[in-house]
Amino acid sequence: MEGHHHPYTSVNIDTGGGGGADRFPQWSIQETRDFLIVRAELDPTFMETKRNKLLWEVISTRMKEKGYNRSAEQCKCKWKNLVTRFKGCETMESEGMRQQFPFYNELQAIFGARMQRMLWIEAEGGGASSSKKKAAATAQISSDEEDDNDDSDVDQKGSSKKKRKTRSNTNTGNSSNLITSIREIMEEFMKQQMQMEMQWLKAYEAREQERRIKEMEWRKTMEDLENERMMMDRKWREREEQRRIREEARAEKRDTLITALLNKLRREDM
């Protein structure tokens, strides 16, 4: 037995529709917002799989983790009611009428994010006309959300099976186009990487050649400086040798003159 509310005292408030699993206990505003947060996180997974019974069980488990005792069936019925209310608000031109639905912005954010994903997939798959994109978006909100990819669709026959088969083929085609686009992007990326590497190698070789030329010029300059130093050293040694010879000649002349003077003085003394 869920909750302690009497079945006859339960009334539906303006939180996104009543009936079904929205009976006792009531969904509070905060509980519904927490539910929409969980549903928004799993929305991409809902759009990728057609067997979503397990996903509703996951939502039920997460709601229990947040302190709400809601079954998978209650969560699914609540989602359908919220989508029905949202579609009704979408047809209203008055902004005030939309504001009476307290979860309009949350639903709009979920479907807006879904639209962005669809546009990205369409763009990666070669693009599509705007009318086709709008039609696809309308189909996602109306058909997919009302039926919510229910597992009971597996038992339907005739047109329902054909629709699912067509949808599956479309998804397969989109996946194939997406893989092809990713492969082309990777090939283009690798080509650009190769070009960048070749340019880097050419620039490196040019810098290395310039470095070698400058090194050769530096070595030649050093050799010229060394030769000039050796030449200057040789000249210095030659000048020093000439100076020494002149000094020795002057010393010899001086000694000869002094000797002559001494000899002359000796002769005069005698």
Side-chain angles (χ1 to χ4, degrees):
M1 179 175 180
E2 296 184 15
H4 301 285
H5 296 274
H6 194 280
Y8 297 104
T9 61
S10 174
V11 292
N12 285 319
I13 60 175
D14 192 14
T15 60
D22 276 348
R23 291 178 296 179
F24 55 94
Q26 288 181 221
W27 289 70
S28 66
I29 296 290
Q30 186 59 44
E31 181 183 8
T32 305
R33 293 192 190 280
D34 291 339
F35 165 72
L36 288 175
I37 292 174
V38 176
R39 181 58 177 78
E41 293 175 354
L42 294 176
D43 188 68
T45 308
F46 269 92
M47 303 313 298
E48 293 173 1
T49 179
K50 300 188 182 304
R51 300 296 183 91
N52 52 41
K53 183 177 181 180
L54 181 60
L55 293 177
W56 286 115
E57 292 291 343
V58 172
I59 290 179
S60 175
T61 301
R62 291 194 181 180
M63 290 295 290
K64 290 177 181 179
E65 291 174 355
K66 293 178 178 291
Y68 307 112
N69 187 19
R70 296 295 178 180
S71 66
E73 186 65 25
Q74 284 178 313
C75 293
K76 183 170 68 173
C77 290
K78 183 66 175 178
W79 174 250
K80 290 182 179 181
N81 291 335
L82 289 170
V83 172
T84 301
R85 289 292 305 277
F86 177 78
K87 288 169 57 181
C89 292
E90 284 286 274
T91 60
M92 299 178 184
E93 296 182 358
S94 174
E95 188 68 23
M97 295 297 293
R98 294 181 179 180
Q99 292 178 356
Q100 293 182 6
F101 179 45
F103 310 110
Y104 179 82
N105 293 333
E106 285 83 350
L107 270 295
Q108 189 178 46
I110 293 174
F111 292 126
R114 183 180 297 180
M115 172 66 76
Q116 290 296 326
R117 291 195 300 273
M118 291 176 60
L119 293 177
W120 182 83
I121 292 174
E122 290 291 342
E124 291 294 330
S129 63
S130 59
S131 60
K132 290 182 179 180
K133 292 177 182 178
K134 291 180 179 179
T138 303
Q140 288 293 340
I141 296 177
S142 59
S143 177
D144 289 342
E145 292 307 329
E146 281 187 332
D147 298 336
D148 200 30
N149 296 325
D150 200 349
D151 290 317
S152 61
D153 291 344
V154 177
D155 298 329
Q156 293 180 358
K157 56 186 178 179
S159 60
S160 297
K161 292 184 178 179
K162 292 182 180 179
K163 289 180 180 179
R164 287 199 303 273
K165 185 176 181 180
T166 302
R167 188 182 307 155
S168 177
N169 293 336
T170 302
N171 292 336
T172 302
N174 290 338
S175 299
S176 177
N177 292 334
L178 178 60
I179 294 173
T180 302
S181 299
I182 293 175
R183 185 182 296 111
E184 291 176 354
I185 292 174
M186 291 301 298
E187 290 177 355
E188 182 66 22
F189 175 76
M190 293 301 296
K191 186 185 298 183
Q192 292 179 359
Q193 287 293 108
M194 290 294 294
Q195 292 177 353
M196 291 175 62
E197 185 174 355
M198 291 297 296
Q199 293 176 358
W200 181 85
L201 287 175
K202 289 180 180 180
Y204 173 78
E205 291 176 356
R207 290 195 301 269
E208 187 65 16
Q209 181 67 18
E210 184 180 358
R211 185 192 65 79
R212 285 195 294 266
I213 292 174
K214 289 184 177 181
E215 184 177 357
M216 291 176 63
E217 292 177 351
W218 178 81
R219 289 182 180 276
K220 186 176 183 303
T221 301
M222 291 295 103
E223 290 177 358
D224 293 340
L225 289 174
E226 182 65 18
N227 293 333
E228 184 178 356
R229 187 192 65 79
M230 293 176 62
M231 186 178 297
M232 291 178 65
D233 185 65
R234 187 170 58 251
K235 290 180 179 180
W236 178 81
R237 291 179 181 277
E238 290 176 355
R239 287 196 299 269
E240 284 294 312
E241 183 66 22
Q242 292 174 0
R243 185 186 64 77
R244 187 182 62 80
I245 293 173
R246 287 195 300 270
E247 285 291 332
E248 290 179 353
R250 283 196 295 270
E252 186 177 356
K253 290 180 180 179
R254 185 175 63 249
D255 291 342
T256 302
L257 181 59
I258 293 173
T259 302
L261 289 173
L262 289 173
N263 290 333
K264 184 178 179 181
L265 290 174
R266 285 193 192 101
R267 285 193 300 270
E268 289 178 354
D269 290 340
M270 293 176 62

